[in-house]
Amino acid sequence: MRIARIIGSAVSTIKADSLHGTKLLVVQPATPDDQLLDETPFVAVDAVGAGQGELVLISEGSAGRYTSLTREAPVDAVILAILDSLEVGGETTFYKS
């Protein structure tokens, strides 16, 4: 899993049948202390109701198809959780305000 921040959304009226009803969000990979990484943003299917600006956990690759929402769908990235806090080495590096 990877940490990412939601930076936007994607709208598609024509898509694979198995993706109808899904929300597509643009995410930017981030560090555990909430610094955006200099990587290309990508689109992930939202399985948890995340919103703009939230820090989330992303599952990528075939593991992204193991949610009830994405089962049997051509999904490479899925948002699995909205983060409330992160602790690394005994120190809180992120806390949702």
Side-chain angles (χ1 to χ4, degrees), residues 52-77:
Q52 178 72 26
E54 291 191 292
L55 201 61
V56 296
L57 282 182
I58 306 283
S59 182
E60 295 178 275
S62 61
R65 293 193 311 265
Y66 283 97
T67 71
S68 59
L69 181 67
T70 57
R71 188 171 289 119
E72 305 297 325
V75 171
D76 187 52

